[in-house]
Amino acid sequence: MSTAPEGRRAAGPFGWDGDPWSLNVIGHGLFGSEFYLRYRQYRQPPWVAALLALAWSVTWEYLVENWHKQPSGIDLVWTPVAGSLLGEGRYQLYRQVRALRRSAGRHLLLYLIDPFGQLERDLLRLPESVSYTHLTLPTSALV
């Protein structure tokens, strides 16, 4: 038996919180993958990146959205799970594209894989040798 409110059962599992399916499945997956990707670019292992994607999801649901909307269990689970899967795929593509010879096509691919990160790198005019993959984030703060 479903635990969704009577009026929302017909919406399916990704519609129980009242958000459209596209926002819950695609939007939250992409949101989670942004956090996951960034931490992987800081050379964190997948489990740390997934844990931090979960932390950001909880933070968003309880500290930002909680002011106007009840936190959604679907969002709390789907955002880090889909974000980790999509984020790891994006990270592996990012690494492969970064290894290619510099060209306009490579630059475009980097924008397609990591639009926010590439925009940041371009706006800050970071040299190729200074990138997330050469930085480390201390994990000692996590324990």
Side-chain angles (χ1 to χ4, degrees):
M1 177 125 191
S2 174
T3 58
E6 189 68 37
R8 294 192 181 155
R9 282 191 192 139
F14 287 103
W16 288 348
D17 63 358
D19 288 340
W21 181 92
S22 58
L23 175 64
N24 276 333
V25 174
I26 299 167
H28 286 106
L30 288 171
F31 184 71
S33 78
E34 282 298 315
F35 293 113
Y36 182 94
L37 176 62
R38 206 63 61 228
Y39 290 112
R40 287 292 280 141
Q41 289 173 334
Y42 276 115
R43 294 185 141 179
Q44 295 304 305
W47 72 271
V48 171
L51 186 63
L52 290 168
L54 172 63
W56 278 110
S57 180
V58 170
T59 300
W60 178 264
E61 288 293 318
Y62 283 96
L63 296 181
V64 177
E65 277 194 339
N66 193 36
W67 291 96
H68 62 87
K69 183 178 177 182
Q70 179 179 353
S72 166
I74 291 166
D75 295 350
L76 287 167
V77 172
W78 182 251
T79 300
V81 169
S84 295
L85 294 172
L86 182 58
E88 185 62 26
R90 290 175 65 199
Y91 175 68
Q92 295 303 326
L93 279 172
Y94 172 82
R95 288 182 59 209
Q96 290 179 9
V97 171
R98 285 286 304 246
L100 298 174
R101 181 180 53 83
R102 286 188 194 182
S103 68
R106 174 183 176 267
H107 198 76
L108 176 63
L109 283 173
L110 289 172
Y111 261 106
L112 291 173
I113 296 166
D114 184 18
F116 296 116
Q118 192 58 41
L119 179 63
E120 179 184 27
R121 288 184 289 274
D122 285 350
L123 288 176
L124 296 177
R125 299 174 193 252
L126 294 174
E128 189 73 21
S129 61
V130 179
S131 69
Y132 293 124
T133 56
H134 298 298
L135 302 173
T136 56
L137 181 69
T139 53
S140 60
L142 298 176
V143 267

